[in-house]
Amino acid sequence: MSNLRDIARDTALSVATVSRALRSDPAVHPSTRHKVLAAAKKLGYQFNPYVGQLMSSLRQGRGEHHKGNLALIWFDTNPASNRHENMLVIRKSVHARAEELGYTVDEFFRNEYTPKTLRSILRSRGVRGIIISPPITTHGKTHLRMDLSGFAAISLGWALVHPALHSVRFDHYRSMHMALHHARHRFAGRIAAVWNFDISRRADHVSRAAFLAYHPSGPAIADKLFFDINRLQPAQVKTLLEKHRVECLICEAEVTFPWLYDLIPPEHFIYLARPRQTACFAWVDPRYDLLGKWGVDFLTSTLQRGEYDIPTEPKTMEVPGTFNIPDTV
Amino acid sequence: MSNLRDIARDTALSVATVSRALRSDPAVHPSTRHKVLAAAKKLGYQFNPYVGQLMSSLRQGRGEHHKGNLALIWFDTNPASNRHENMLVIRKSVHARAEELGYTVDEFFRNEYTPKTLRSILRSRGVRGIIISPPITTHGKTHLRMDLSGFAAISLGWALVHPALHSVRFDHYRSMHMALHHARHRFAGRIAAVWNFDISRRADHVSRAAFLAYHPSGPAIADKLFFDINRLQPAQVKTLLEKHRVECLICEAEVTFPWLYDLIPPEHFIYLARPRQTACFAWVDPRYDLLGKWGVDFLTSTLQRGEYDIPTEPKTMEVPGTFNIPDTV
């Protein structure tokens, strides 16, 4: 088996440059990197990124337990100043998991930097792995405009569509399936849904698909009972709810229309999120904590395989929610 | 920061036992392991599984590149004697990826052993990580009866429901969505589907849900045009296809009913699998190669975090299929 010296000799580069190229160090020019990878392949060199990382960590005097520095990039929320409870859950679990696995985490609010400045800050801090928070204020297809070459990156949630990164997202299909399963007997199958087609249409369609597939009255009726919250016509909703004698409403979160609570009592609602104030029949915890934890797991295993750059085959991991029926019911 | 000696002193165990306990070696009694983990937590010991594995590999004289021995367990197919082309694709990609990452793979056909014998063979070979092939001959809910404590395991496909393991499975939802997307314009939205509700009902319902959600004519009509292949009544199918002037059939694989090809010409079919002989409009490659490759990625990263036993929070990774339109069309 060949070693770094063989590759250095073959390419007429220094051992240090070869080593950096094999670790996809962004300081090495892409053409040099390609040359090194070609020579490594030709000479049958087997790259073990673990050894490299360990040695690099030891050289930096961080001890054998420090494995690297990660970045948590806030896409469009600044958790330092915001009231997004869910984002704080993500932050906490990212830090906790990174610490368990021997990594440190720096946080950045994307809007405070140009993409170029952010990239150079990350490089200067030796960051190779990035977690991108779930976009929450976007409509339609969300893009991240930043050169990610030389970095491993995981995006959280469904909303970011470009670039296509590895991602960890909620299993909305399963959450809706669970809600219908539990509502079925309690409400004799008389179930409607009110949805906010707003943040990620991909995710919303998945919820609707599960509603159509598992509704006890079949897809034709389910289709009539799945309402878009942005196009609600109270009179029409009232007519349909009465016609189908609906007893239970599934919502992605608490609704702000008092008239809806006049039609269906609050304690017949199922929320696919933790309700802040309203009593309900049940709710699904989408598990923001797992989104953060699994994001770190996913990112660090990608880093440890030495896989940087935009992936040619983006992987998707799905977080299952957990169903809760409050004690008071 | 404390080290192994501190834990050994605190627990009155040998350093070797402490080390084995921290690596979840199945030879260490669970009560001993719990004692060691409690002491490690108390003393603030931070476990770095990479160092342990590397050292263990070096001690075994395998060089720094050998990271461990994995098992590929064939659930209900014996690829040594079968004609399941897809299983051979999985086998090939598992071996190729394991080799790239520095692991070796032993294969076992589950039916040839009792669960107990298989477990002791795996232990004696030092296997800690297991990949379980997708069940293919089962109906309903598939169970694996084997004590997996002390092992990390990944199941491939949708069919295995118990125990709930980490799994890598096809994104059937996306495949159906893609098929409808491509068929929409070519066939003016006149699309039906013929499905085999046979191997995994969970997976089949996902395909149906996507068909209902994205069919151009809406869920009510889509529901009438999604046929269960095991309950096909030719006269009824003929009537419905004619009534809705269906021009395109989506099937999970080639069908064996010549009369169907009399109703819809073969070159108007879309298969959500690679067709063996029939010309078609298009087909989706579900990517059995990625199933195997990502299974190894998933398993080795689980091993490297030192996570053994049945997971309390099973993760799911979804493999996206790729859409193909043959040149001849």
Side-chain angles (χ1 to χ4, degrees):
Chain A
M1 197 172 281
S2 64
N3 61 27
L4 295 189
R5 270 176 214 92
D6 299 325
I7 301 173
R9 205 174 302 124
D10 192 79
T11 54
L13 294 163
S14 70
V15 171
T17 303
V18 168
S19 166
R20 278 204 300 271
L22 288 173
R23 280 180 283 121
S24 298
D25 188 321
V28 176
H29 195 274
S31 68
T32 309
R33 191 174 144 212
H34 287 304
K35 196 169 149 189
V36 169
L37 291 176
K41 197 169 178 189
K42 184 180 78 181
L43 298 170
Y45 175 79
Q46 205 178 7
F47 176 55
N48 187 340
Y50 309 94
V51 176
Q53 278 164 26
L54 199 56
M55 295 307 160
S56 153
S57 219
L58 291 171
R59 272 195 303 272
Q60 287 168 36
R62 274 163 158 161
E64 64 179 58
H65 295 303
H66 185 267
K67 292 207 280 299
N69 195 18
L70 310 177
L72 172 55
I73 296 181
W74 295 98
F75 190 85
D76 53 11
T77 52
N78 184 353
S81 66
N82 76 15
R83 304 140 300 155
H84 291 287
E85 210 181 311
N86 295 331
M87 297 297 136
L88 299 177
V89 172
I90 290 176
R91 163 190 262 174
K92 195 175 155 193
S93 76
V94 163
H95 280 280
R97 186 57 166 174
E99 195 188 332
E100 266 175 31
L101 297 178
Y103 292 82
T104 48
V105 181
D106 287 346
E107 295 186 51
F108 303 89
F109 181 30
R110 189 176 61 100
N111 294 2
E112 288 175 352
Y113 308 89
T114 66
K116 213 173 157 183
T117 308
L118 185 49
R119 181 177 163 84
S120 71
I121 294 173
L122 296 177
R123 282 177 56 168
S124 70
R125 296 205 190 175
V127 168
R128 303 302 306 277
I130 298 170
I131 294 181
I132 298 157
S133 80
I136 62 160
T137 56
T138 58
H139 304 259
K141 299 193 172 179
T142 304
H143 289 233
L144 173 68
R145 285 176 187 82
M146 181 180 164
D147 174 10
L148 289 173
S149 57
F151 294 102
I154 304 289
S155 81
L156 303 183
W158 285 76
L160 186 71
V161 296
H162 186 83
L165 301 174
H166 296 315
S167 67
V168 183
R169 62 195 195 185
F170 293 129
D171 190 345
H172 291 300
Y173 188 91
R174 191 169 177 275
S175 294
M176 178 60 86
H177 188 184
M178 280 195 295
L180 284 167
H181 174 80
H182 286 276
R184 191 179 183 118
H185 296 293
R186 173 73 179 75
F187 301 105
R190 306 188 188 285
I191 309 156
V194 171
W195 221 252
N196 189 357
F197 273 82
D198 205 24
I199 293 165
S200 166
R201 294 195 81 85
R202 283 198 298 173
D204 296 332
H205 279 296
V206 166
S207 301
R208 176 172 168 268
F211 189 78
L212 297 171
Y214 300 107
H215 194 288
S217 304
I221 288 178
D223 188 32
K224 295 198 181 99
L225 297 176
F226 195 88
F227 301 104
D228 180 345
I229 208 166
N230 301 304
R231 299 175 182 197
L232 282 183
Q233 298 170 322
Q236 189 198 15
V237 172
K238 187 165 187 285
T239 309
L240 279 163
L241 293 185
E242 279 170 3
K243 181 181 167 194
H244 294 283
R245 289 183 289 163
V246 169
E247 293 186 18
C248 171
L249 260 189
I250 300 174
C251 303
E252 61 178 336
E254 278 163 298
V255 288
T256 47
F257 304 108
W259 58 267
L260 258 182
Y261 292 111
D262 294 335
L263 297 174
I264 306 287
E267 61 273 18
H268 285 202
F269 275 64
I270 299 178
Y271 298 110
L272 301 192
R274 183 191 295 264
R276 280 160 188 259
Q277 358 176 329
T278 324
C280 60
F281 167 61
W283 59 282
V284 174
D285 180 352
R287 302 298 302 272
Y288 281 87
D289 59 328
L290 285 188
L291 205 64
K293 181 181 177 188
W294 292 7
V296 172
D297 283 0
F298 204 163
L299 178 60
T300 54
S301 56
T302 305
L303 282 172
Q304 280 151 14
R305 281 192 299 272
E307 293 172 358
Y308 306 106
D309 301 336
I310 308 285
T312 49
E313 290 156 345
K315 293 171 174 169
T316 305
M317 188 169 279
E318 300 217 328
V319 173
T322 46
F323 198 81
N324 303 274
I325 298 186
D327 290 336
T328 51
V329 174
Chain B
M1 196 174 283
S2 66
N3 60 27
L4 295 188
R5 270 178 213 92
D6 299 326
I7 302 172
R9 204 175 300 124
D10 192 80
T11 54
L13 293 164
S14 70
V15 171
T17 302
V18 168
S19 165
R20 278 204 299 270
L22 289 173
R23 280 179 283 124
S24 298
D25 188 320
V28 176
H29 193 274
S31 68
T32 309
R33 190 176 144 209
H34 287 304
K35 197 167 146 190
V36 169
L37 290 177
K41 197 168 178 187
K42 186 181 77 183
L43 299 170
Y45 175 79
Q46 206 181 6
F47 176 53
N48 186 340
Y50 309 94
V51 176
Q53 277 163 28
L54 199 57
M55 294 308 160
S56 154
S57 219
L58 291 171
R59 273 195 303 274
Q60 286 167 39
R62 276 163 156 159
E64 66 179 53
H65 295 303
H66 184 266
K67 292 206 281 295
N69 196 17
L70 310 176
L72 172 56
I73 296 181
W74 294 97
F75 191 85
D76 54 10
T77 52
N78 184 354
S81 67
N82 75 15
R83 304 142 299 156
H84 292 286
E85 210 183 311
N86 295 332
M87 297 298 136
L88 300 178
V89 172
I90 290 176
R91 163 189 264 173
K92 197 176 153 191
S93 76
V94 164
H95 281 279
R97 186 56 167 174
E99 196 189 331
E100 266 175 30
L101 298 177
Y103 291 83
T104 48
V105 181
D106 287 346
E107 295 185 51
F108 303 89
F109 181 29
R110 189 176 62 99
N111 293 4
E112 288 174 353
Y113 308 89
T114 66
K116 214 173 157 184
T117 308
L118 184 50
R119 182 176 163 83
S120 70
I121 294 174
L122 296 177
R123 283 177 55 168
S124 70
R125 296 205 189 174
V127 167
R128 303 304 305 279
I130 298 171
I131 294 180
I132 298 158
S133 78
I136 62 160
T137 57
T138 57
H139 304 258
K141 298 192 171 180
T142 304
H143 289 235
L144 172 69
R145 285 175 187 83
M146 182 178 161
D147 175 9
L148 289 174
S149 57
F151 293 102
I154 304 291
S155 80
L156 304 184
W158 286 75
L160 187 71
V161 297
H162 186 84
L165 302 174
H166 296 315
S167 67
V168 183
R169 64 194 193 186
F170 293 128
D171 189 345
H172 290 301
Y173 188 90
R174 192 169 176 276
S175 294
M176 178 60 87
H177 188 184
M178 280 195 292
L180 284 168
H181 174 79
H182 286 276
R184 194 179 182 120
H185 296 293
R186 172 72 178 77
F187 301 106
R190 307 189 188 286
I191 309 157
V194 171
W195 221 252
N196 189 359
F197 272 84
D198 205 25
I199 293 166
S200 165
R201 295 195 80 85
R202 283 198 297 171
D204 296 332
H205 280 297
V206 167
S207 301
R208 177 173 167 267
F211 188 77
L212 297 170
Y214 300 107
H215 193 288
S217 305
I221 288 178
D223 189 31
K224 293 197 181 101
L225 297 177
F226 195 87
F227 301 105
D228 180 345
I229 208 166
N230 301 302
R231 298 174 182 195
L232 282 184
Q233 297 169 323
Q236 191 198 14
V237 172
K238 188 165 186 285
T239 309
L240 279 163
L241 293 185
E242 278 169 4
K243 182 181 168 194
H244 295 283
R245 287 183 289 162
V246 168
E247 291 184 19
C248 171
L249 261 188
I250 300 174
C251 302
E252 61 178 334
E254 277 162 300
V255 288
T256 48
F257 303 110
W259 58 268
L260 259 181
Y261 292 112
D262 293 337
L263 297 173
I264 306 288
E267 61 273 19
H268 286 201
F269 275 64
I270 299 178
Y271 298 110
L272 302 192
R274 183 190 295 265
R276 281 160 188 259
Q277 356 176 330
T278 323
C280 60
F281 167 62
W283 59 283
V284 174
D285 180 354
R287 303 296 305 269
Y288 280 88
D289 58 327
L290 286 187
L291 205 65
K293 181 182 177 187
W294 292 7
V296 172
D297 284 357
F298 204 163
L299 178 58
T300 54
S301 57
T302 306
L303 283 172
Q304 281 153 11
R305 281 192 300 271
E307 292 171 0
Y308 306 105
D309 301 337
I310 309 283
T312 49
E313 290 156 346
K315 293 172 176 171
T316 305
M317 188 169 281
E318 300 217 328
V319 173
T322 44
F323 197 80
N324 303 275
I325 298 185
D327 291 336
T328 51
V329 174

